[in-house]
């Protein structure tokens, strides 16, 4: 039964008003007044006042900013320090509060250090489920250092007691040094202090307490027990419970990560940094920001509290495990290291990036990752939050989307047109208008009379369908989903905990499932099963939008912080993981809807650390302009830096109408996003690739085909990420860690280790492009194979048909060259290998293949080949992970006709006449042909006819 009469009319009018208000904002930019600044956040104000007080006291003491830790009021309690197995235990307290805090420093495998702190005897429990929901295996199986590898010593230096835990492994000679008065921690790597905690004296922990008198003031600051923003009041029944800590990176000038922000790759200073600095801290608080600003630390749709620091010697990281609202200030300075305090060397000036992290609630839980290389750091991070798993192979292809394809006929027309114009694609998407009145898991039967037949038609040529399923559930007693969830008590509750929390979103009056409740999460997962989701087939996948969560009539377009979740926890404690929990529930539902299970594909707008386990994300509602095109590069890179690898931006821009030139350039960049989707707002003009006519159609088609040509390389990169945690797209410094000129570079980037992309992002499409090729190495234009020797800095002429993409010398890149309509139709196509020779005449690479959809690869059903070129010989050998098993033998049989049809060796300088092929003891000779930028630079071996699953070698002579 649906609402009738006056109430229904009122609901409809309010819904229309909200919707019209939102749509009216299109083209007007973000409404800044809808979102808080740091000055409007009470817990940040209190910590800022505390920090300013510490700085003032330091000045009175004659201390410099770099040594102001002397003003910190927190000290270690006497005789409280001891080593308990792999954990250093201590108690610290504020000199005035006299409330002891229990602090534990745990030493993990690979040099990871974990620091946790909260009240020794809390008045109320603090929310501590973030670790269970984010860490690998809920944190239960973290690998700790052996107790006998740790040694605790204590000494007095300059009158101060210092406790030192020393340890050593294959990559580190390290120690952790903790001073007592004041409490500080210093992580010393290879005799250099690298990560410093409370070195600026900003640690401050608001202990839980009984509510005082009527004014509810704490330390003279307002907002401790109640806070109002515009028309919303946060009742704060638990009072103040925030904490903050300064974390400094000694010897570093650049820090990266903490997405999502429309900011530069190298994070900017937020205090005292000159004209380039921001006036606000970076904020981590998932929000639905309509037409967000650029070059801003403003919070957006996702939050990953992971930060990396890099210099020419090492890469280190910090993971701040907290799901509550968090602010991060960044300052830079030349400062003396604390080495003189600990007798570690001279007092010479070192560059330092100091960060100040402040979270509203929860337990202080911090991981220090020592590197020393980027690859080491990502292995350490993956030990904590897991790697990005192998996705469905189709998900790496091109996704065609808009809000909204009108009906079933429109969908099939787009499908036909893409095939007519020979444009490969894998997925068509449907936004909210495909449903029956915004009731998810339903179809508008007038527009989509036979969704199963539609999906079957798409699937015939290897194409999939994605439908949006948002987290808000329309409040309608006649709607099965709402009624079941309501009857079972699965909705998030209001602040009293007495009734469902209600808010407004696309359907009007809505409720939200409480994914913190395991029963509710399992229930929503089952709704994605084929017997529950009517009209769905195994070729239907899901898009989670609006899951920050977005609440149109809520504070900052989101949920009130004091409403209640399962277990009585307030929303403030888990806001930033709400979207991830829905993402997980959706992925679990798709994974388990078939037997045997198959890999899911789910796109989510909101995310947190750990979201990489469940699917892809995108940068949100961007705009069709050149500035947003440029901004997408550091945004996607920052997500990859923070471990959220399967990320992309809406090609063409969500809001507004792109020019044909902008659309072409965006496709030419978008093919290098890990997640490649074109999307558009409901009010925009149609913009499918053929709409723009020639020459734009040809340029766009060429770009999309290049993506498909390189799918074997992309899939192999995902395999690498699933094993090592390394990003798919990488800042240039990650591959060239000593190239200091590239440390802040975010207009070019690496795709894996083998390809450098320098996108054209200027409205003047004839504008020359500045290119910097690092290191003493060969670089090859990936299409013409023209060779360049780095280091090189020069301008390249360009036009709309030109893209600047270079293959790195020393790389072997696998491709599939035959044009097909989808990735599924390419699965048995032969492979071409491009060997880009280094200055030393060598090259290496890898090729990984599996069935692209099941989990059989976990039982060995894959082909993984290590490719090597040296002394004019190309060899293919199985990886160390290859092992004979029934599943592996069955897969080899299925792939027994897939061969290498061509080998192209680029960069040879001495023409040779023939190639001798050896496979399974059989030898044959093939004549060579030459072409390329220089006549002798490109050697092609046509149809060596070796199988991808066999051992073989090809020798040039």
């Amino acid at each position: 039964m649906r609402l009738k009469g006056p109430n229904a009319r009122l609901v409809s009018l309010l819904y229309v008003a909200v919707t019209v208000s939102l749509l009216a904002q299109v083209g007007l930019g973000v409404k800044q007044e809808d979102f808080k600044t740091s000055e409007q956040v009470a817990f940040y104000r209190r910590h800022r006042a505390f920090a300013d007080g510490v700085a003032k006291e330091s000045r009175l003491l004659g201390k410099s900013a770099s040594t102001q830790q002397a003003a910190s009021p927190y000290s270690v309690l006497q005789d409280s320090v001891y080593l308990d197995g792999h954990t250093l235990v201590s108690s610290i307290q504020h000199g005035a509060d006299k409330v002891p805090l229990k602090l534990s420093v745990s030493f993990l495998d690979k040099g990871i250090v974990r620091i946790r702190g909260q009240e020794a005897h809390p008045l109320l429990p603090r929310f501590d489920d973030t670790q269970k929901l984010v860490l690998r295996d809920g944190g239960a199986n973290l690998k700790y250092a052996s107790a006998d590898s740790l040694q605790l010593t204590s000494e007095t230096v300059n009158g101060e007691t210092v406790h030192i835990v020393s340890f050593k492994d294959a990559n580190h000679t390290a120690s952790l040094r903790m001073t007592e008065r004041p409490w500080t921690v210093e992580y010393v790597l290879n005799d250099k202090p690298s990560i410093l905690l409370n070195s600026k004296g900003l640690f401050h922990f608001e202990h839980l307490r009984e509510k005082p008198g009527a004014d509810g003031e704490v330390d003279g600051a307002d907002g401790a027990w109640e806070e109002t923003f515009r028309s919303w009041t946060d009742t704060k029944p638990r009072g103040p419970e925030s904490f903050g800590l300064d974390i400094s990176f000694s010897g570093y000038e650049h820090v990266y990560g903490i997405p999502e922000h429309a900011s530069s790759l190298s994070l900017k200073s937020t205090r005292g940094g000159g004209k380039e600095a921001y006036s606000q801290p970076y904020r981590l608080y998932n929000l639905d920001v309509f037409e967000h600003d650029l070059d801003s630390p403003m919070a957006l749709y996702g939050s990953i509290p992971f930060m990396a620091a890099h210099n020419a010697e090492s890469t280190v990281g910090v993971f701040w495990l907290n799901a509550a609202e968090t602010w991060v200030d960044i300052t830079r300075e030349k400062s003396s290291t604390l080495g003189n305090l600990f007798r570690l060397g001279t007092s010479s000036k070192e560059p330092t990036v100091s960060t100040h992290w402040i979270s509203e609630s929860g337990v202080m839980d911090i991981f220090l990752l020592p590197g020393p290389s980027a690859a080491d750091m990502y292995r350490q991070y993956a030990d904590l939050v897991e790697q990005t798993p192998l996705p469905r192979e189709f998900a790496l292809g091109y996704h065609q989307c808009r809000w909204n394809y009108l009906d079933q006929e429109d969908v099939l027309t787009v499908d036909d047109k893409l095939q007519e114009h020979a444009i490969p694609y894998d997925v068509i998407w449907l936004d909210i208008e495909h449903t029956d009145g915004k009731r998810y898991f339903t179809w508008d039967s007038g527009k989509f009379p036979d969704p199963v037949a539609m999906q079957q038609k798409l699937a015939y040529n290897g194409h999939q369908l994605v439908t949006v399923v948002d987290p808000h559930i329309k409040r309608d007693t006649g709607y099965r989903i709402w009624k079941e969830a309501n009857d079972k008590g699965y909705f998030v509750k209001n602040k009293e905990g007495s009734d469902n929390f209600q808010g407004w979103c696309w359907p009007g009056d809505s409720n939200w499932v409480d994914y913190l409740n395991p029963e509710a999460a399992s229930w929503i997962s089952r709704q994605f099963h084929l017997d529950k989701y009517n009209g769905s087939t195994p070729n239907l996948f899901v898009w989670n939008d609006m899951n920050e969560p977005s609440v149109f009539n809520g504070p900052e377009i989101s949920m009130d912080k004091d409403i209640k979740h399962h277990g009585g926890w307030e929303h403030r404690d888990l806001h930033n993981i709400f979207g991830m929990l829905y993402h997980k529930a959706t992925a679990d539902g798709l994974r388990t809807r078939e037997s045997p299970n198959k890999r899911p594909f789910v796109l989510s707008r909101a995310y947190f650390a750990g979201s990489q386990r469940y699917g892809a994300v995108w940068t949100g509602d961007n705009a069709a302009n050149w500035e947003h095109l440029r901004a997408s590069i550091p945004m996607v890179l920052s997500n990859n830096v923070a471990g959220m690898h399967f990320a992309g931006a809406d090609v063409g821009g969500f809001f507004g109408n792109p020019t044909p030139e902008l659309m072409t350039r965006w496709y030419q960049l978008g093919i290098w996003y890990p997640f490649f989707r074109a999307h558009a707002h409901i009010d925009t003009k149609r913009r499918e690739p053929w709409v723009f006519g020639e020459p734009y159609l040809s340029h766009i088609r060429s770009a999309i085909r290049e993506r498909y040509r390189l799918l074997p390389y992309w899939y192999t990169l995902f395999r690498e990420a699933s094993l090592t945690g390394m990003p798919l797209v990488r800042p240039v410094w990650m591959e060239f860690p000593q190239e200091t000129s590239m440390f802040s570079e975010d207009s070019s980037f690496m795709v894996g280790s083998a390809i450098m992309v320098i996108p054209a992002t200027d409205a003047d499409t004839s504008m020359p492009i500045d290119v910097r090729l690092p290191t003493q190495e060969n670089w090859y234009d990936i299409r013409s194979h023209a060779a360049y020797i780095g280091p090189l800095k020069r301008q390249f002429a360009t036009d709309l048909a030109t893209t600047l993409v270079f293959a790195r010398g020393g790389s072997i890149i696998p491709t599939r060259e035959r044009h097909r309509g989808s990735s599924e139709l390419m699965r048995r196509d032969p492979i071409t290998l491009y060997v880009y020779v280094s200055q030393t005449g060598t090259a290496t690479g890898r090729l990984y293949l599996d069935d692209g959809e099941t989990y059989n690869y976990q039982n060995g059903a894959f082909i993984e080949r290590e490719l090597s070129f040296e002394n004019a010989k190309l060899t293919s050998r199985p990886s160390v992970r290859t092992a004979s098993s029934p599943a592996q033998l069955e897969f080899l049989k299925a792939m027994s006709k897939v061969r290498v049809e061509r080998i192209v060796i680029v960069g040879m300088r001495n023409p040779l006449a023939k190639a001798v092929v050896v496979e399974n003891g059989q030898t044959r000779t093939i004549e060579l042909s030459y072409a390329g930028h220089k006549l002798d630079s490109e050697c092609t071996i046509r149809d060596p006819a070796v199988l991808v699953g066999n051992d073989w070698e090809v020798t040039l002579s």
Side-chain angles (χ1 to χ4, degrees):
M1 184 180 72
R2 298 177 186 170
L3 291 172
K4 297 180 180 180
N7 288 338
R9 288 192 294 273
L10 178 60
V11 166
S12 297
L13 288 171
L14 287 171
Y15 169 61
V16 168
V18 170
T19 303
V20 168
S21 174
L22 284 167
L23 293 178
Q25 296 177 34
V26 178
L28 299 178
V30 63
K31 292 180 66 176
Q32 297 287 353
E33 64 272 20
D34 284 343
F35 303 100
K36 296 179 183 178
T37 63
S38 60
E39 294 82 5
Q40 294 171 300
V41 176
F43 77 88
Y44 178 85
R45 290 199 304 270
R46 295 195 297 271
H47 282 269
R48 188 70 258 154
F50 176 85
D52 292 344
V54 168
K56 180 178 180 181
E57 185 174 347
S58 294
R59 289 193 295 271
L60 293 175
L61 293 171
K63 300 289 184 179
S64 68
S66 61
T67 57
Q68 70 184 37
Q69 79 279 357
S72 172
Y74 289 86
S75 299
V76 178
L77 295 179
Q78 187 174 5
D79 300 326
S80 70
V81 180
Y82 62 95
L83 188 62
D84 182 10
H86 50 66
T87 300
L88 181 69
V89 180
S90 63
S91 296
I92 62 176
Q93 74 176 20
H94 188 287
D97 288 343
K98 304 299 183 183
V99 175
L101 307 175
K102 181 180 179 180
L103 191 81
S104 64
V105 181
S106 299
F107 298 87
L108 284 74
D109 190 31
K110 298 185 176 73
I112 302 169
V113 172
R114 184 182 193 181
I115 300 168
R116 283 173 54 85
Q118 63 171 316
E119 298 92 339
H121 307 288
L123 184 68
L124 297 168
R126 286 177 173 261
F127 184 74
D128 199 20
D129 282 354
T130 305
Q131 62 169 329
K132 299 176 184 177
L133 299 167
V134 173
L135 296 179
R136 180 190 293 270
D137 301 323
N141 297 313
L142 295 178
K143 296 180 181 178
Y144 289 91
S146 62
D148 56 10
S149 69
L150 307 175
Q151 182 179 2
L152 172 63
T153 59
S154 301
E155 59 185 62
T156 301
V157 180
N158 298 335
E160 297 291 343
T161 300
V162 184
H163 304 281
I164 305 167
V165 177
S166 303
F167 53 98
K168 187 175 182 178
D169 62 20
N171 291 320
H172 312 93
T173 299
S175 62
L176 184 130
R177 298 166 175 259
M178 184 173 72
T179 63
E180 285 195 354
R181 296 180 181 274
W183 170 75
T184 67
V185 170
E186 183 178 82
Y187 196 5
V188 181
L189 300 170
N190 298 320
D191 297 325
K192 292 184 178 180
S194 295
I195 308 177
L196 318 177
L197 276 60
N198 203 34
S199 65
K200 298 180 74 65
L202 305 186
F203 173 67
H204 184 47
F205 199 99
E206 294 187 322
H207 62 84
L208 291 159
R209 66 203 71 190
E210 298 285 355
K211 188 172 184 178
D215 59 10
E217 300 295 306
V218 173
D219 297 331
D222 65 349
W225 293 86
E226 185 176 277
E227 184 175 5
T228 298
F229 173 67
R230 300 183 68 181
S231 61
W232 296 276
T233 297
D234 178 3
T235 59
K236 296 189 177 181
R238 292 165 57 95
E241 52 180 324
S242 67
F243 54 89
L245 174 68
D246 60 277
I247 303 175
S248 297
F249 300 92
S250 178
Y252 300 87
E253 295 183 70
H254 297 276
V255 289
Y256 313 88
I258 59 169
E260 181 183 33
H261 303 95
S263 181
S264 56
L265 174 66
S266 178
L267 299 173
K268 294 186 178 183
S269 299
T270 63
R271 296 181 65 81
K275 64 180 182 179
E276 294 297 320
Y278 291 138
S279 60
Q280 288 285 308
Y282 286 90
R283 188 185 189 195
L284 295 172
Y285 192 67
N286 294 357
L287 291 171
D288 179 3
V289 183
F290 208 75
E291 291 198 285
H292 63 78
D293 285 343
L294 297 179
D295 194 20
S296 169
M298 183 179 187
L300 293 176
Y301 309 94
S303 299
I304 302 182
F306 173 87
M307 180 180 286
H310 175 73
N311 62 23
E313 297 178 351
S314 63
T315 306
V316 298
V318 166
F319 178 38
W320 178 277
L321 182 56
N322 190 279
E325 180 181 1
T326 298
W327 296 78
V328 184
D329 266 311
I330 298 174
T331 59
R332 288 175 169 83
E333 60 193 33
K334 289 279 189 178
S335 64
S336 298
T337 70
L338 296 186
N340 58 334
L341 178 61
F342 296 129
R343 299 173 182 169
L344 291 174
T346 70
S347 59
S348 61
K349 297 290 185 180
E350 288 278 0
T352 298
V353 179
S354 296
T355 62
H356 185 194
W357 301 67
I358 305 167
S359 290
E360 185 176 15
S361 65
V363 172
M364 187 175 77
D365 199 353
I366 309 162
F367 294 86
L368 312 181
L369 312 180
S373 70
D376 293 325
M377 182 190 70
Y378 283 112
R379 279 190 287 268
Q380 294 152 9
Y381 188 41
D383 281 353
L384 302 178
V385 299
E386 299 184 36
Q387 300 91 331
T388 299
L390 277 168
R392 290 289 280 259
E393 190 172 18
F394 77 77
L396 278 60
Y398 171 50
H399 300 249
Q400 183 68 56
C401 182
R402 75 172 282 111
W403 177 22
N404 200 87
Y405 286 120
L406 303 176
D407 51 30
Q408 190 163 323
E409 181 181 0
D410 195 13
V411 168
L412 297 178
T413 298
V414 172
D415 172 61
D416 289 340
K417 281 285 189 181
L418 286 162
Q419 295 183 70
E420 174 188 335
H421 292 287
I423 298 171
Y425 87 99
D426 269 83
V427 190
I428 287 183
W429 293 54
L430 291 176
D431 211 319
I432 54 177
E433 312 303 333
H434 81 279
T435 62
D436 176 14
K438 314 299 188 299
R439 297 170 181 84
Y440 302 108
F441 305 100
T442 70
W443 302 84
D444 183 327
S445 60
K447 297 176 181 177
F448 296 91
D450 195 343
V452 171
M454 177 179 66
Q455 292 166 67
Q456 290 171 343
K457 167 69 166 57
L458 296 174
Y460 181 79
N461 290 305
H463 301 134
Q464 322 297 322
L465 182 73
V466 165
T467 58
V468 71
V469 183
D470 290 346
H472 46 263
I473 305 298
K474 182 179 178 66
R475 189 174 183 271
D476 178 354
T477 56
Y479 175 28
R480 180 186 67 83
I481 298 292
W482 182 88
K483 188 174 188 308
E484 283 190 21
N486 184 65
D487 291 347
K488 295 174 184 292
Y490 287 160
F491 287 128
V492 177
K493 303 304 179 187
N494 59 19
K495 61 185 66 179
E496 294 79 20
S498 58
D499 200 357
N500 297 334
F501 165 75
Q502 291 186 191
W504 289 85
C505 209
W506 295 124
D509 198 3
S510 302
N511 303 116
W512 280 256
V513 172
D514 185 357
Y515 310 109
L516 192 64
N517 179 349
E519 285 187 15
S522 295
W523 173 82
I524 201 70
S525 292
R526 291 192 297 274
Q527 307 314 306
F528 293 97
H529 287 188
L530 299 175
D531 62 337
K532 293 284 189 180
Y533 190 169
N534 291 332
S536 70
T537 74
N539 298 101
L540 182 144
F541 299 87
V542 176
W543 169 19
N544 292 159
D545 200 358
M546 314 296 285
N547 56 331
E548 294 74 27
S550 177
V551 181
F552 291 162
N553 63 336
E556 301 194 273
I557 324 297
S558 196
M559 283 183 172
D560 303 79
K561 287 185 173 181
D562 51 0
I563 64 174
K564 296 296 197 306
H565 287 267
H566 179 70
W569 296 111
E570 292 180 274
H571 184 71
R572 81 179 75 250
D573 298 314
L574 57 116
H575 175 86
N576 285 341
I577 57 172
F578 181 90
M580 184 190 76
L581 295 179
Y582 183 43
H583 198 184
K584 177 184 185 299
T586 305
D588 286 347
L590 295 185
R591 178 176 51 82
T592 58
R593 68 182 174 178
E594 296 179 81
S595 182
N597 294 166
K598 290 186 178 180
R599 293 174 240 173
F601 171 73
V602 185
L603 178 73
S604 175
R605 191 169 71 176
Y607 54 94
F608 191 73
S611 289
Q612 76 280 354
R613 302 190 291 253
Y614 310 119
V617 303
W618 88 107
T619 60
D621 296 344
N622 57 0
N625 59 51
W626 293 93
E627 293 77 16
H628 273 266
L629 171 68
R630 287 188 284 272
S632 72
I633 303 170
M635 292 181 76
V636 172
L637 286 175
S638 292
N639 272 305
N640 269 259
V641 165
M644 192 63 239
H645 301 143
F646 202 0
D650 284 345
V651 170
F654 180 63
F655 293 112
N657 296 301
T659 64
E661 291 78 13
L662 175 60
M663 199 69 187
T664 300
R665 287 304 197 202
W666 215 315
Y667 272 99
Q668 290 169 345
L669 170 59
I671 65 169
W672 303 107
Y673 300 150
F675 174 61
F676 174 34
R677 181 184 74 155
H679 186 34
H681 188 273
I682 195 170
D683 287 342
T684 62
K685 298 176 183 177
R686 294 295 284 257
R687 56 166 83 160
E688 288 76 18
W690 58 87
V691 169
F692 300 97
E694 294 293 356
Y696 311 105
L697 169 59
S698 291
H699 298 330
I700 292 170
R701 177 170 51 230
S702 294
I704 297 173
R705 283 182 171 181
E706 182 72 351
R707 171 68 168 220
Y708 278 81
R709 189 178 78 90
L710 287 163
L711 281 183
Y713 178 71
W714 276 104
Y715 200 61
T716 301
L717 279 184
F718 269 92
R719 168 68 166 179
E720 178 189 353
S722 75
L723 296 171
T724 68
M726 276 294 284
L728 301 164
V729 292
R730 304 166 187 174
V732 177
W733 64 256
M734 208 170 279
E735 286 298 319
F736 304 97
Q738 295 183 318
E739 293 274 351
T740 56
S741 63
M742 308 301 283
F743 288 1
S744 60
E745 172 61 35
D746 58 14
S747 61
S748 61
F749 57 94
M750 299 295 296
V751 178
S753 62
I755 295 175
M756 176 183 279
V757 180
I758 302 97
T761 59
D762 196 282
D764 182 352
T765 58
S766 64
M767 178 76 70
I769 297 175
D770 293 323
V771 172
R772 185 191 298 269
L773 299 176
T775 200
Q776 295 285 339
E777 189 51 87
N778 294 338
W779 293 89
Y780 303 91
D781 185 294
I782 204 165
R783 299 304 297 184
S784 73
H785 293 164
Y788 306 90
I789 299 176
L792 174 69
K793 183 179 180 182
R794 58 162 281 190
Q795 286 190 329
F796 281 72
T798 185
D799 57 33
L800 197 58
T802 303
T803 59
L804 295 178
V805 181
F806 297 92
R808 181 182 182 179
S811 304
I812 300 175
I813 297 177
T815 69
R816 281 189 166 119
E817 300 289 330
R818 301 185 183 185
H819 298 311
R820 306 287 192 191
S822 68
S823 62
E824 183 176 309
L825 299 180
M826 300 171 66
R827 193 166 291 167
R828 298 292 187 270
D829 279 356
I831 295 291
T832 292
L833 297 176
Y834 286 87
V835 180
Y836 296 97
V837 177
S838 70
Q839 290 190 349
T840 60
T842 62
T844 59
R846 182 179 291 117
L847 171 65
Y848 176 81
L849 303 168
D850 62 26
D851 66 20
E853 60 181 25
T854 74
Y855 291 96
N856 290 342
Y857 70 91
Q858 295 177 347
N859 299 317
F862 61 82
I863 292 171
E864 188 171 37
R865 309 301 297 181
E866 300 289 350
L867 306 169
S868 176
F869 183 77
E870 187 174 9
N871 297 324
K873 179 191 292 186
L874 176 64
T875 61
S876 173
R877 297 289 183 264
S879 74
V880 295
R881 289 171 290 274
T882 302
S884 181
S885 68
Q888 196 246 3
L889 294 174
E890 184 178 347
F891 184 68
L892 283 176
K893 183 178 179 181
M895 300 291 285
S896 62
K897 294 183 179 181
V898 179
R899 71 187 198 282
V900 176
E901 70 171 348
R902 185 181 298 107
I903 297 170
V904 182
I905 301 175
V906 184
M908 295 289 288
R909 286 291 176 262
N910 47 339
L912 301 168
K914 62 183 180 179
V916 178
V917 180
V918 179
E919 179 185 28
N920 292 336
Q922 302 294 315
T923 301
R924 55 189 177 274
T925 302
I926 301 173
E927 297 298 318
L928 304 182
S929 62
Y930 284 86
H933 189 68
K934 294 183 178 179
L935 190 59
D936 64 346
S937 67
E938 184 178 308
C939 163
T940 300
I941 306 167
R942 299 187 185 281
D943 199 15
V946 291
L947 298 180
V948 294
N950 284 352
D951 291 357
W952 49 261
E953 60 186 43
V954 177
T955 304
L956 306 183
S957 63

